[in-house]
């Protein structure tokens, strides 16, 4: 039985003091006995304060570099994240792919390096609005998965979280219907099965992301192949994130 996982992605928001206030507000409603895993992906400068104040929340980094060290100004390595206490890391987010030219090949290298230090990758995939309108959603999902999982063993992939995030539904106010979300998350699972095996496909946790809010998360979580959500704007405020927790406990 796959345990649901719901993670907020703060993106480039919250100073360390703001992150601390959020942590205090959310931790008071968690007991550690919830049926789902809850967490937040935070900017690098917030990670230390988040980890130190996390009792039941997963703390994820929003990115990493596949190299351990070197002349890569502005980058952060997996060993750095490991020492801070990070256990999850988002890779391949559409904004990283679009604005910073992150490729499937980068994702595969990052995933391999993260898993070597027992940090769980949250791999993001998803199509643009133009690709969706052109009927290319399935092709995009299959291509991104094949490239982003290249070189990984089945036992490694089984530990991962894969977030299907249609780019046309991120920050736009649009959201995929539960039928579209379920069909695409099922395709993610079926593609993993085809690339590896039935057991790996059944083990991997698949999230939906794209304008997920307190008023629609229940319908997504009721779908058979959706194991959680990657949440943007609704994860920035304590009240709305509490509502999401309450709706999915």
């Amino acid at each position: 039985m796959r345990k649901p996982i719901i993670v907020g992605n703060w993106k480039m928001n919250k100073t360390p003091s703001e992150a601390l206030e959020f942590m205090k507000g959310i931790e008071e409603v968690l007991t550690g006995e919830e049926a789902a895993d809850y967490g937040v992906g935070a900017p690098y400068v917030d990670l230390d304060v988040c980890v130190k104040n996390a009792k039941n929340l997963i703390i994820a980094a929003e990115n990493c570099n596949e190299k351990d060290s070197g002349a890569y100004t502005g980058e952060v390595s997996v060993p750095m994240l490991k020492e801070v206490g990070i256990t999850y890391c988002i890779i391949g987010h559409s904004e990283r792919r679009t604005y910073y030219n992150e490729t499937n090949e980068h994702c595969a290298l990052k995933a391999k390096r993260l898993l070597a230090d027992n940090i769980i990758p949250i791999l993001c995939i998803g199509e643009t609005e133009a690709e969706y309108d052109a009927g290319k959603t399935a092709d995009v999902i299959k291509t991104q998965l094949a490239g982003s999982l290249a070189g990984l063993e089945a036992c490694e992939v089984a530990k991962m979280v894969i977030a299907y995030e249609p780019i046309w539904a991120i920050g736009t106010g649009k959201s995929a219907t539960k039928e579209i979300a379920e069909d695409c998350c099922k395709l993610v699972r079926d593609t993993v099965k085809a690339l590896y095996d039935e057991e790996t496909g059944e083990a991997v946790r698949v999230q939906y992301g794209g304008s997920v809010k307190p008023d629609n998360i229940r319908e997504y979580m009721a779908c058979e192949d959706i194991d959680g959500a990657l949440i943007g704007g609704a994860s920035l405020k304590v009240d709305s994130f509490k509502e999401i927790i309450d709706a999915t406990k």
Side-chain angles (χ1 to χ4, degrees), residues 64-78:
C64 69
N65 191 284
E66 65 272 21
K67 304 285 188 181
D68 280 359
S69 62
Y72 304 101
T73 301
E75 292 294 289
V76 170
S77 71
V78 174

Side-chain angles (χ1 to χ4, degrees), residues 3 17 35 88 126 152 166 200 202 223:
K3 188 176 185 181
S17 61
Y88 284 74
L152 297 178
T200 304
E202 287 297 328
C223 296

